[in-house]
Amino acid sequence: MSGVITKVTFSSFSKILSEKDRLREIYRQILQLVLFVSSTLIAFGCFFAKPIITILLGEKWLTIIPLFQILSLSFILYPIHSLNVNILNLYGRSDLFLKLEILKKIVFTVLMIICLYFG
């Protein structure tokens, strides 16, 4: 879903790049809409994780419900990231995008080492 939104918003944003106030307002509206929809779907998935896992994967997979819920919650911020990267690319700030990606990889690596330590 986020990939489609990124492609659509990039072309829309590029058309109004010179109108900073309008771009800011449209960005805010899209962000609110995307966050509302994605957060609602993710909350629904977390709340109904047991029936979803049971129906899709069967009873033997019920032990992954906490992991499913944690991973679902971690994706709440992804639409914000996607739209912000879109804005960075729109303004030609690939340097900031590179720094952001390096920082994400470092944080991910540290978190993985911590998780491996605790099992």
Side-chain angles (χ1 to χ4, degrees):
M1 179 176 159
S2 185
V4 173
I5 292 170
T6 303
K7 290 176 186 174
V8 170
T9 56
F10 187 80
S11 64
S12 300
F13 289 162
S14 64
K15 292 176 185 172
I16 57 170
L17 182 60
S18 60
E19 305 172 43
K20 291 193 187 294
D21 290 334
R22 185 168 176 227
L23 178 65
R24 185 177 294 123
E25 181 61 27
I26 291 174
Y27 170 78
R28 189 184 62 77
Q29 290 173 352
I30 290 173
L31 187 62
Q32 285 177 343
L33 178 65
V34 168
L35 277 176
F36 175 74
V37 171
S38 65
S39 297
T40 303
L41 291 173
I42 289 171
F44 177 80
C46 286
F47 187 72
F48 294 108
K50 185 175 181 178
I52 290 171
I53 298 296
T54 304
I55 291 169
L56 294 178
L57 301 174
E59 294 284 330
K60 65 181 179 180
W61 287 91
L62 290 179
T63 56
I64 69 162
I65 289 175
L67 180 62
F68 175 79
Q69 291 171 328
I70 291 169
L71 288 174
S72 295
L73 289 175
S74 70
F75 280 104
I76 283 181
L77 298 178
Y78 186 73
I80 296 172
H81 165 73
S82 180
L83 284 171
N84 286 338
V85 166
N86 205 357
I87 293 293
L88 287 176
N89 288 332
L90 189 67
Y91 283 107
R93 295 301 309 262
S94 59
D95 59 324
L96 291 176
F97 177 66
L98 176 64
K99 290 175 186 176
L100 179 64
E101 286 299 313
I102 291 171
L103 180 65
K104 278 179 18 183
K105 301 301 181 206
I106 291 170
V107 169
F108 177 75
T109 304
V110 169
L111 287 174
M112 288 301 292
I113 291 170
I114 292 171
C115 289
L116 285 173
Y117 177 74
F118 289 107

